[in-house]
Amino acid sequence: MSPTDEQDYTETGQTRTRLPGGDPYGGAPRRTGRSSSRSLVTVVGVVVLLIAAIAFANRGDGSSTDNSSGKSDQPRTSSTAASGTKPVETKNGGIPSGFAHSGQGAESAAANYAVALGSAEMFNTAWRHRIVDSVYARDAAAAKQSAMDSAYSNEKFLSNIGLAKDGTAPKGQTFVSRVVPVGTKVTSSGTDATTVEVWYTSLFGLSGDGSKNPVTESWYTTTYELKWVDNDWKITDFQQKDGPVPVGRDQTASTADDMTKAVEEYGGFTYAR
């Protein structure tokens, strides 16, 4: 997978960035002047919703006399709550492996692979080779490796996103490339072949003083075609599209120092259900 595939870089030569005026990290305007009455209405609304949610959650099975359908209590999408299935404990090249031979195992594999393929380590040649060999089926990995090497070593591309020829960040700055899965969905399933969609948010950019490419947020859905190979799920192909994209909240962007500190102190997750 190339940077174009996972991050959609080539349209502008860098990530899509909509910068506020002034400081790119702290210059986002904050709405002010909210009255105390408006705040009170907001709090009351939240409390009412919370009470309603608790009442619904604690409703007994016998609360309804309509037994015509046994599907009324079932979630409309696959649950991401703990299922009792033991999470994977093994790793291949630092990436979780040994997923269950099931739809649930395929979803967990796809989420973990999306994190690895969207990481900053993909800009390091040795790490990139390790990641691709770990998450792709052997024949697919061989086909992808040279294309990725060409894309990730493109000097113009690296320059546009603020990195040196070797993929490193300028002195005093931290390169951020991180994928955070929000949800997964199996769209087709077979014994040894499964298609999984992963909806995620992506953080990308340079944090630090003087950064001309501040860390921005994007949303994507990637569809992974997975094959059961050597007792594990492996990627054979993928497709990516933008969104769904939520409406941004009324929050001021963090300073460069706060962003750098967060990236350095907060590690990623192993995703399993």
Side-chain angles (χ1 to χ4, degrees):
M1 168 181 329
S2 70
T4 303
D5 297 327
E6 266 308 300
Q7 299 292 347
D8 197 14
Y9 297 138
T10 55
E11 291 187 2
T12 61
Q14 55 187 13
T15 52
R16 297 184 184 128
T17 308
R18 188 175 184 178
L19 302 180
D23 182 357
Y25 284 95
R30 177 185 291 274
R31 298 189 189 106
T32 58
R34 291 182 176 175
S35 65
S36 58
S37 61
R38 182 178 176 183
S39 298
L40 179 59
V41 170
T42 301
V43 171
V44 171
V46 170
V47 171
V48 170
L49 290 174
L50 180 60
I51 293 174
I54 293 174
F56 181 82
N58 291 327
R59 185 176 61 186
D61 293 337
S63 61
S64 173
T65 57
D66 181 10
N67 296 320
S68 61
S69 173
K71 298 181 180 179
S72 58
D73 320 279
Q74 300 301 318
R76 303 186 72 175
T77 59
S78 59
S79 174
T80 54
S83 64
T85 299
K86 190 175 182 179
V88 296
E89 296 180 343
T90 57
K91 290 189 175 183
N92 180 15
I95 302 171
S97 62
F99 298 96
H101 191 186
S102 63
Q104 179 176 303
E107 289 183 79
S108 184
N112 280 287
Y113 294 165
V115 171
L117 291 167
S119 67
E121 283 73 22
M122 287 292 290
F123 288 79
N124 176 282
T125 302
W127 269 106
R128 181 171 61 254
H129 289 179
R130 197 174 305 171
I131 291 171
V132 172
D133 287 340
S134 297
V135 307
Y136 277 91
R138 291 182 183 178
D139 54 346
K144 291 286 184 182
Q145 203 68 267
S146 60
M148 287 191 178
D149 285 343
S150 177
Y152 278 93
S153 61
N154 185 292
E155 293 185 14
K156 183 177 180 181
F157 161 68
L158 293 171
S159 176
N160 284 337
I161 61 176
L163 299 181
K165 295 179 181 180
D166 60 354
T168 58
K171 184 177 181 180
Q173 297 183 15
T174 300
F175 176 52
V176 181
S177 182
R178 186 176 294 191
V179 161
V180 184
V182 177
T184 58
K185 177 178 67 174
V186 173
T187 56
S188 67
S189 180
T191 304
D192 294 326
T194 300
T195 302
V196 178
E197 291 186 359
V198 181
W199 178 36
Y200 60 90
T201 181
S202 173
L203 303 179
F204 188 86
L206 289 168
S207 66
D209 294 334
S211 171
K212 296 180 181 179
N213 298 282
V215 179
T216 57
E217 177 187 33
S218 301
W219 291 81
Y220 302 98
T221 297
T222 296
T223 301
Y224 291 103
E225 294 180 17
L226 303 174
K227 184 178 180 180
W228 186 252
V229 181
D230 297 331
N231 295 317
D232 209 353
W233 290 109
K234 299 295 181 181
I235 300 172
T236 57
D237 202 359
F238 74 93
Q239 292 181 339
Q240 179 189 300
K241 63 181 181 180
D242 288 354
V245 182
V247 176
R249 286 292 303 275
D250 178 20
Q251 292 180 294
T252 299
S254 299
T255 65
D257 287 343
D258 285 345
M259 182 61 68
T260 300
K261 184 178 180 181
V263 171
E264 292 176 347
E265 293 183 354
Y266 292 91
F269 290 98
T270 296
Y271 293 86
R273 291 174 50 198

mmCIF file of all heavy atoms in Angstrom, residues 7 9 114-121 123 174-181 200-205 215-218 220 259-269 271:
data_model
loop_
_atom_site.group_PDB
_atom_site.id
_atom_site.type_symbol
_atom_site.label_atom_id
_atom_site.label_comp_id
_atom_site.label_asym_id
_atom_site.label_seq_id
_atom_site.Cartn_x
_atom_site.Cartn_y
_atom_site.Cartn_z
ATOM 1 N N GLN A 7 -3.325 7.324 2.832
ATOM 2 C CA GLN A 7 -3.527 8.661 3.356
ATOM 3 C C GLN A 7 -4.101 9.633 2.355
ATOM 4 O O GLN A 7 -4.407 10.751 2.692
ATOM 5 C CB GLN A 7 -2.187 9.225 3.874
ATOM 6 C CG GLN A 7 -1.560 8.408 4.999
ATOM 7 C CD GLN A 7 -2.368 8.478 6.271
ATOM 8 O OE1 GLN A 7 -3.246 9.311 6.385
ATOM 9 N NE2 GLN A 7 -2.090 7.622 7.222
ATOM 10 N N TYR A 9 -2.586 11.183 -0.290
ATOM 11 C CA TYR A 9 -1.700 12.324 -0.290
ATOM 12 C C TYR A 9 -1.623 13.042 -1.624
ATOM 13 O O TYR A 9 -1.432 14.232 -1.670
ATOM 14 C CB TYR A 9 -0.272 11.870 0.038
ATOM 15 C CG TYR A 9 -0.107 11.269 1.387
ATOM 16 C CD1 TYR A 9 0.683 10.133 1.576
ATOM 17 C CD2 TYR A 9 -0.729 11.829 2.482
ATOM 18 C CE1 TYR A 9 0.843 9.593 2.829
ATOM 19 C CE2 TYR A 9 -0.572 11.284 3.735
ATOM 20 C CZ TYR A 9 0.204 10.171 3.900
ATOM 21 O OH TYR A 9 0.375 9.636 5.131
ATOM 22 N N ALA A 114 -4.750 -2.106 9.820
ATOM 23 C CA ALA A 114 -4.943 -0.705 9.447
ATOM 24 C C ALA A 114 -4.044 0.202 10.286
ATOM 25 O O ALA A 114 -3.453 1.165 9.777
ATOM 26 C CB ALA A 114 -6.414 -0.309 9.636
ATOM 27 N N VAL A 115 -3.915 -0.118 11.561
ATOM 28 C CA VAL A 115 -3.046 0.659 12.460
ATOM 29 C C VAL A 115 -1.592 0.570 12.005
ATOM 30 O O VAL A 115 -0.876 1.575 11.942
ATOM 31 C CB VAL A 115 -3.183 0.150 13.917
ATOM 32 C CG1 VAL A 115 -2.130 0.789 14.813
ATOM 33 C CG2 VAL A 115 -4.573 0.465 14.450
ATOM 34 N N ALA A 116 -1.143 -0.642 11.678
ATOM 35 C CA ALA A 116 0.251 -0.838 11.268
ATOM 36 C C ALA A 116 0.549 -0.133 9.947
ATOM 37 O O ALA A 116 1.576 0.537 9.794
ATOM 38 C CB ALA A 116 0.548 -2.331 11.149
ATOM 39 N N LEU A 117 -0.367 -0.256 8.980
ATOM 40 C CA LEU A 117 -0.133 0.320 7.661
ATOM 41 C C LEU A 117 -0.271 1.845 7.655
ATOM 42 O O LEU A 117 0.194 2.503 6.719
ATOM 43 C CB LEU A 117 -1.103 -0.292 6.649
ATOM 44 C CG LEU A 117 -0.837 -1.764 6.333
ATOM 45 C CD1 LEU A 117 -2.020 -2.379 5.578
ATOM 46 C CD2 LEU A 117 0.444 -1.914 5.511
ATOM 47 N N GLY A 118 -0.898 2.394 8.669
ATOM 48 C CA GLY A 118 -1.033 3.845 8.762
ATOM 49 C C GLY A 118 -0.056 4.476 9.726
ATOM 50 O O GLY A 118 -0.170 5.664 10.050
ATOM 51 N N SER A 119 0.922 3.716 10.193
ATOM 52 C CA SER A 119 1.858 4.206 11.207
ATOM 53 C C SER A 119 3.044 4.944 10.608
ATOM 54 O O SER A 119 3.349 4.823 9.420
ATOM 55 C CB SER A 119 2.379 3.030 12.037
ATOM 56 O OG SER A 119 3.195 2.184 11.241
ATOM 57 N N ALA A 120 3.728 5.713 11.454
ATOM 58 C CA ALA A 120 4.921 6.453 11.025
ATOM 59 C C ALA A 120 6.040 5.500 10.629
ATOM 60 O O ALA A 120 6.920 5.865 9.830
ATOM 61 C CB ALA A 120 5.383 7.371 12.154
ATOM 62 N N GLU A 121 6.013 4.270 11.141
ATOM 63 C CA GLU A 121 7.050 3.292 10.813
ATOM 64 C C GLU A 121 7.062 2.934 9.324
ATOM 65 O O GLU A 121 8.073 2.433 8.811
ATOM 66 C CB GLU A 121 6.862 2.021 11.647
ATOM 67 C CG GLU A 121 7.314 2.130 13.092
ATOM 68 C CD GLU A 121 6.380 2.976 13.933
ATOM 69 O OE1 GLU A 121 5.202 3.135 13.547
ATOM 70 O OE2 GLU A 121 6.811 3.484 14.985
ATOM 71 N N PHE A 123 7.377 4.839 7.007
ATOM 72 C CA PHE A 123 8.298 5.743 6.323
ATOM 73 C C PHE A 123 9.758 5.346 6.554
ATOM 74 O O PHE A 123 10.662 6.006 6.076
ATOM 75 C CB PHE A 123 8.052 7.181 6.788
ATOM 76 C CG PHE A 123 6.768 7.758 6.263
ATOM 77 C CD1 PHE A 123 5.551 7.425 6.848
ATOM 78 C CD2 PHE A 123 6.762 8.610 5.165
ATOM 79 C CE1 PHE A 123 4.361 7.937 6.358
ATOM 80 C CE2 PHE A 123 5.582 9.117 4.668
ATOM 81 C CZ PHE A 123 4.377 8.779 5.262
ATOM 82 N N THR A 174 8.278 16.425 15.550
ATOM 83 C CA THR A 174 7.894 15.020 15.649
ATOM 84 C C THR A 174 6.916 14.674 14.548
ATOM 85 O O THR A 174 5.897 15.364 14.369
ATOM 86 C CB THR A 174 7.234 14.730 17.016
ATOM 87 O OG1 THR A 174 8.158 15.040 18.066
ATOM 88 C CG2 THR A 174 6.819 13.266 17.117
ATOM 89 N N PHE A 175 7.235 13.630 13.798
ATOM 90 C CA PHE A 175 6.354 13.197 12.722
ATOM 91 C C PHE A 175 5.251 12.320 13.297
ATOM 92 O O PHE A 175 5.516 11.371 14.043
ATOM 93 C CB PHE A 175 7.149 12.417 11.672
ATOM 94 C CG PHE A 175 6.295 11.845 10.566
ATOM 95 C CD1 PHE A 175 5.418 12.653 9.858
ATOM 96 C CD2 PHE A 175 6.381 10.501 10.240
ATOM 97 C CE1 PHE A 175 4.634 12.126 8.843
ATOM 98 C CE2 PHE A 175 5.602 9.969 9.226
ATOM 99 C CZ PHE A 175 4.721 10.794 8.522
ATOM 100 N N VAL A 176 4.016 12.640 12.959
ATOM 101 C CA VAL A 176 2.862 11.911 13.465
ATOM 102 C C VAL A 176 2.090 11.280 12.314
ATOM 103 O O VAL A 176 1.695 11.970 11.370
ATOM 104 C CB VAL A 176 1.916 12.842 14.256
ATOM 105 C CG1 VAL A 176 0.718 12.059 14.791
ATOM 106 C CG2 VAL A 176 2.657 13.540 15.380
ATOM 107 N N SER A 177 1.914 9.979 12.374
ATOM 108 C CA SER A 177 1.073 9.259 11.425
ATOM 109 C C SER A 177 0.450 8.115 12.206
ATOM 110 O O SER A 177 1.113 7.126 12.516
ATOM 111 C CB SER A 177 1.895 8.726 10.246
ATOM 112 O OG SER A 177 1.048 8.063 9.320
ATOM 113 N N ARG A 178 -0.804 8.276 12.555
ATOM 114 C CA ARG A 178 -1.447 7.294 13.427
ATOM 115 C C ARG A 178 -2.899 7.074 13.004
ATOM 116 O O ARG A 178 -3.636 8.018 12.767
ATOM 117 C CB ARG A 178 -1.379 7.746 14.879
ATOM 118 C CG ARG A 178 -1.897 6.719 15.866
ATOM 119 C CD ARG A 178 -1.718 7.164 17.303
ATOM 120 N NE ARG A 178 -0.310 7.248 17.684
ATOM 121 C CZ ARG A 178 0.104 7.411 18.940
ATOM 122 N NH1 ARG A 178 -0.783 7.512 19.923
ATOM 123 N NH2 ARG A 178 1.389 7.484 19.210
ATOM 124 N N VAL A 179 -3.293 5.808 12.940
ATOM 125 C CA VAL A 179 -4.661 5.422 12.599
ATOM 126 C C VAL A 179 -5.365 4.939 13.859
ATOM 127 O O VAL A 179 -4.807 4.159 14.629
ATOM 128 C CB VAL A 179 -4.656 4.318 11.519
ATOM 129 C CG1 VAL A 179 -5.984 3.574 11.484
ATOM 130 C CG2 VAL A 179 -4.351 4.920 10.151
ATOM 131 N N VAL A 180 -6.588 5.400 14.064
ATOM 132 C CA VAL A 180 -7.386 5.002 15.222
ATOM 133 C C VAL A 180 -8.717 4.413 14.726
ATOM 134 O O VAL A 180 -9.623 5.162 14.345
ATOM 135 C CB VAL A 180 -7.665 6.199 16.149
ATOM 136 C CG1 VAL A 180 -8.416 5.737 17.396
ATOM 137 C CG2 VAL A 180 -6.382 6.917 16.524
ATOM 138 N N PRO A 181 -8.847 3.089 14.689
ATOM 139 C CA PRO A 181 -10.099 2.478 14.231
ATOM 140 C C PRO A 181 -11.291 2.865 15.107
ATOM 141 O O PRO A 181 -11.182 2.919 16.333
ATOM 142 C CB PRO A 181 -9.813 0.977 14.338
ATOM 143 C CG PRO A 181 -8.324 0.871 14.224
ATOM 144 C CD PRO A 181 -7.813 2.075 14.960
ATOM 145 N N TYR A 200 -12.089 4.552 10.278
ATOM 146 C CA TYR A 200 -11.087 5.057 11.218
ATOM 147 C C TYR A 200 -10.803 6.540 11.000
ATOM 148 O O TYR A 200 -11.119 7.123 9.961
ATOM 149 C CB TYR A 200 -9.783 4.267 11.078
ATOM 150 C CG TYR A 200 -9.145 4.342 9.701
ATOM 151 C CD1 TYR A 200 -8.220 5.334 9.390
ATOM 152 C CD2 TYR A 200 -9.452 3.409 8.719
ATOM 153 C CE1 TYR A 200 -7.632 5.400 8.132
ATOM 154 C CE2 TYR A 200 -8.875 3.462 7.464
ATOM 155 C CZ TYR A 200 -7.966 4.463 7.176
ATOM 156 O OH TYR A 200 -7.386 4.535 5.929
ATOM 157 N N THR A 201 -10.200 7.121 12.019
ATOM 158 C CA THR A 201 -9.707 8.487 11.917
ATOM 159 C C THR A 201 -8.183 8.429 11.854
ATOM 160 O O THR A 201 -7.560 7.532 12.432
ATOM 161 C CB THR A 201 -10.158 9.354 13.109
ATOM 162 O OG1 THR A 201 -9.668 10.689 12.932
ATOM 163 C CG2 THR A 201 -9.637 8.806 14.427
ATOM 164 N N SER A 202 -7.604 9.355 11.128
ATOM 165 C CA SER A 202 -6.162 9.355 10.906
ATOM 166 C C SER A 202 -5.563 10.693 11.318
ATOM 167 O O SER A 202 -6.070 11.757 10.950
ATOM 168 C CB SER A 202 -5.870 9.094 9.424
ATOM 169 O OG SER A 202 -4.490 9.251 9.148
ATOM 170 N N LEU A 203 -4.502 10.644 12.118
ATOM 171 C CA LEU A 203 -3.752 11.836 12.498
ATOM 172 C C LEU A 203 -2.474 11.870 11.681
ATOM 173 O O LEU A 203 -1.751 10.875 11.614
ATOM 174 C CB LEU A 203 -3.416 11.805 13.994
ATOM 175 C CG LEU A 203 -4.594 11.680 14.960
ATOM 176 C CD1 LEU A 203 -4.091 11.629 16.403
ATOM 177 C CD2 LEU A 203 -5.568 12.829 14.779
ATOM 178 N N PHE A 204 -2.187 13.022 11.071
ATOM 179 C CA PHE A 204 -1.019 13.081 10.199
ATOM 180 C C PHE A 204 -0.449 14.490 10.165
ATOM 181 O O PHE A 204 -1.180 15.475 10.048
ATOM 182 C CB PHE A 204 -1.393 12.660 8.777
ATOM 183 C CG PHE A 204 -0.212 12.500 7.866
ATOM 184 C CD1 PHE A 204 0.475 11.302 7.809
ATOM 185 C CD2 PHE A 204 0.226 13.552 7.079
ATOM 186 C CE1 PHE A 204 1.586 11.151 6.981
ATOM 187 C CE2 PHE A 204 1.318 13.414 6.237
ATOM 188 C CZ PHE A 204 2.008 12.214 6.195
ATOM 189 N N GLY A 205 0.880 14.586 10.285
ATOM 190 C CA GLY A 205 1.536 15.880 10.178
ATOM 191 C C GLY A 205 2.777 15.961 11.047
ATOM 192 O O GLY A 205 3.265 14.953 11.573
ATOM 193 N N VAL A 215 -0.334 18.766 12.627
ATOM 194 C CA VAL A 215 -1.083 17.510 12.696
ATOM 195 C C VAL A 215 -2.567 17.781 12.459
ATOM 196 O O VAL A 215 -3.184 18.593 13.154
ATOM 197 C CB VAL A 215 -0.881 16.829 14.065
ATOM 198 C CG1 VAL A 215 -1.688 15.524 14.129
ATOM 199 C CG2 VAL A 215 0.599 16.550 14.297
ATOM 200 N N THR A 216 -3.121 17.119 11.465
ATOM 201 C CA THR A 216 -4.533 17.267 11.135
ATOM 202 C C THR A 216 -5.241 15.921 11.221
ATOM 203 O O THR A 216 -4.613 14.863 11.253
ATOM 204 C CB THR A 216 -4.718 17.842 9.716
ATOM 205 O OG1 THR A 216 -4.046 16.991 8.780
ATOM 206 C CG2 THR A 216 -4.150 19.248 9.618
ATOM 207 N N GLU A 217 -6.560 15.978 11.245
ATOM 208 C CA GLU A 217 -7.387 14.790 11.391
ATOM 209 C C GLU A 217 -8.158 14.533 10.097
ATOM 210 O O GLU A 217 -8.712 15.461 9.504
ATOM 211 C CB GLU A 217 -8.368 14.989 12.545
ATOM 212 C CG GLU A 217 -9.346 13.852 12.763
ATOM 213 C CD GLU A 217 -10.386 14.212 13.815
ATOM 214 O OE1 GLU A 217 -10.765 15.392 13.907
ATOM 215 O OE2 GLU A 217 -10.816 13.298 14.529
ATOM 216 N N SER A 218 -8.189 13.281 9.679
ATOM 217 C CA SER A 218 -8.964 12.884 8.502
ATOM 218 C C SER A 218 -9.728 11.608 8.830
ATOM 219 O O SER A 218 -9.389 10.892 9.773
ATOM 220 C CB SER A 218 -8.037 12.637 7.305
ATOM 221 O OG SER A 218 -7.292 13.792 6.987
ATOM 222 N N TYR A 220 -11.533 8.008 7.109
ATOM 223 C CA TYR A 220 -11.564 7.114 5.963
ATOM 224 C C TYR A 220 -12.254 5.799 6.317
ATOM 225 O O TYR A 220 -12.390 5.431 7.496
ATOM 226 C CB TYR A 220 -10.144 6.780 5.489
ATOM 227 C CG TYR A 220 -9.296 7.969 5.110
ATOM 228 C CD1 TYR A 220 -8.376 8.497 6.007
ATOM 229 C CD2 TYR A 220 -9.423 8.563 3.857
ATOM 230 C CE1 TYR A 220 -7.594 9.594 5.666
ATOM 231 C CE2 TYR A 220 -8.643 9.654 3.505
ATOM 232 C CZ TYR A 220 -7.735 10.172 4.412
ATOM 233 O OH TYR A 220 -6.980 11.251 4.070
ATOM 234 N N MET A 259 0.743 18.581 21.660
ATOM 235 C CA MET A 259 0.554 17.524 20.667
ATOM 236 C C MET A 259 1.744 16.570 20.662
ATOM 237 O O MET A 259 1.587 15.348 20.641
ATOM 238 C CB MET A 259 0.364 18.140 19.279
ATOM 239 C CG MET A 259 0.112 17.115 18.182
ATOM 240 S SD MET A 259 -1.384 16.141 18.425
ATOM 241 C CE MET A 259 -2.635 17.423 18.173
ATOM 242 N N THR A 260 2.946 17.122 20.700
ATOM 243 C CA THR A 260 4.153 16.289 20.715
ATOM 244 C C THR A 260 4.193 15.413 21.959
ATOM 245 O O THR A 260 4.498 14.214 21.893
ATOM 246 C CB THR A 260 5.414 17.169 20.670
ATOM 247 O OG1 THR A 260 5.397 17.950 19.469
ATOM 248 C CG2 THR A 260 6.678 16.316 20.698
ATOM 249 N N LYS A 261 3.875 16.006 23.097
ATOM 250 C CA LYS A 261 3.884 15.266 24.358
ATOM 251 C C LYS A 261 2.874 14.123 24.322
ATOM 252 O O LYS A 261 3.161 13.002 24.754
ATOM 253 C CB LYS A 261 3.561 16.210 25.514
ATOM 254 C CG LYS A 261 3.631 15.555 26.889
ATOM 255 C CD LYS A 261 3.352 16.570 27.989
ATOM 256 C CE LYS A 261 3.426 15.908 29.366
ATOM 257 N NZ LYS A 261 3.120 16.880 30.448
ATOM 258 N N ALA A 262 1.681 14.379 23.779
ATOM 259 C CA ALA A 262 0.649 13.349 23.715
ATOM 260 C C ALA A 262 1.080 12.185 22.833
ATOM 261 O O ALA A 262 0.911 11.015 23.186
ATOM 262 C CB ALA A 262 -0.658 13.957 23.189
ATOM 263 N N VAL A 263 1.645 12.502 21.680
ATOM 264 C CA VAL A 263 2.081 11.454 20.750
ATOM 265 C C VAL A 263 3.178 10.599 21.374
ATOM 266 O O VAL A 263 3.216 9.380 21.196
ATOM 267 C CB VAL A 263 2.570 12.082 19.435
ATOM 268 C CG1 VAL A 263 3.223 11.031 18.555
ATOM 269 C CG2 VAL A 263 1.408 12.728 18.689
ATOM 270 N N GLU A 264 4.081 11.234 22.111
ATOM 271 C CA GLU A 264 5.194 10.499 22.712
ATOM 272 C C GLU A 264 4.763 9.677 23.920
ATOM 273 O O GLU A 264 5.345 8.637 24.208
ATOM 274 C CB GLU A 264 6.288 11.485 23.116
ATOM 275 C CG GLU A 264 6.988 12.142 21.924
ATOM 276 C CD GLU A 264 7.998 13.196 22.340
ATOM 277 O OE1 GLU A 264 7.975 13.590 23.532
ATOM 278 O OE2 GLU A 264 8.802 13.619 21.486
ATOM 279 N N GLU A 265 3.734 10.132 24.646
ATOM 280 C CA GLU A 265 3.356 9.471 25.889
ATOM 281 C C GLU A 265 2.241 8.446 25.736
ATOM 282 O O GLU A 265 2.130 7.504 26.523
ATOM 283 C CB GLU A 265 2.942 10.513 26.938
ATOM 284 C CG GLU A 265 4.103 11.390 27.399
ATOM 285 C CD GLU A 265 3.684 12.360 28.487
ATOM 286 O OE1 GLU A 265 2.470 12.427 28.792
ATOM 287 O OE2 GLU A 265 4.582 13.058 29.018
ATOM 288 N N TYR A 266 1.373 8.636 24.726
ATOM 289 C CA TYR A 266 0.249 7.722 24.553
ATOM 290 C C TYR A 266 0.540 6.724 23.430
ATOM 291 O O TYR A 266 0.672 7.103 22.268
ATOM 292 C CB TYR A 266 -1.033 8.495 24.221
ATOM 293 C CG TYR A 266 -1.536 9.341 25.359
ATOM 294 C CD1 TYR A 266 -1.127 10.674 25.483
ATOM 295 C CD2 TYR A 266 -2.404 8.815 26.322
ATOM 296 C CE1 TYR A 266 -1.580 11.463 26.533
ATOM 297 C CE2 TYR A 266 -2.855 9.607 27.367
ATOM 298 C CZ TYR A 266 -2.446 10.924 27.465
ATOM 299 O OH TYR A 266 -2.896 11.702 28.506
ATOM 300 N N GLY A 267 0.632 5.448 23.831
ATOM 301 C CA GLY A 267 0.909 4.420 22.834
ATOM 302 C C GLY A 267 -0.358 3.949 22.150
ATOM 303 O O GLY A 267 -1.467 4.372 22.476
ATOM 304 N N GLY A 268 -0.208 3.046 21.187
ATOM 305 C CA GLY A 268 -1.356 2.512 20.463
ATOM 306 C C GLY A 268 -1.934 1.297 21.164
ATOM 307 O O GLY A 268 -1.482 0.886 22.240
ATOM 308 N N PHE A 269 -2.952 0.718 20.557
ATOM 309 C CA PHE A 269 -3.656 -0.428 21.135
ATOM 310 C C PHE A 269 -3.522 -1.671 20.265
ATOM 311 O O PHE A 269 -3.283 -1.571 19.061
ATOM 312 C CB PHE A 269 -5.154 -0.124 21.281
ATOM 313 C CG PHE A 269 -5.471 0.898 22.336
ATOM 314 C CD1 PHE A 269 -5.691 2.215 21.987
ATOM 315 C CD2 PHE A 269 -5.547 0.546 23.677
ATOM 316 C CE1 PHE A 269 -5.991 3.164 22.940
ATOM 317 C CE2 PHE A 269 -5.837 1.486 24.638
ATOM 318 C CZ PHE A 269 -6.079 2.808 24.274
ATOM 319 N N TYR A 271 -6.014 -4.278 18.914
ATOM 320 C CA TYR A 271 -7.462 -4.339 18.777
ATOM 321 C C TYR A 271 -7.924 -5.780 18.664
ATOM 322 O O TYR A 271 -7.490 -6.520 17.801
ATOM 323 C CB TYR A 271 -7.920 -3.554 17.543
ATOM 324 C CG TYR A 271 -7.685 -2.069 17.695
ATOM 325 C CD1 TYR A 271 -6.471 -1.504 17.376
ATOM 326 C CD2 TYR A 271 -8.692 -1.244 18.188
ATOM 327 C CE1 TYR A 271 -6.240 -0.151 17.537
ATOM 328 C CE2 TYR A 271 -8.477 0.127 18.358
ATOM 329 C CZ TYR A 271 -7.249 0.658 18.024
ATOM 330 O OH TYR A 271 -7.032 2.002 18.194
#
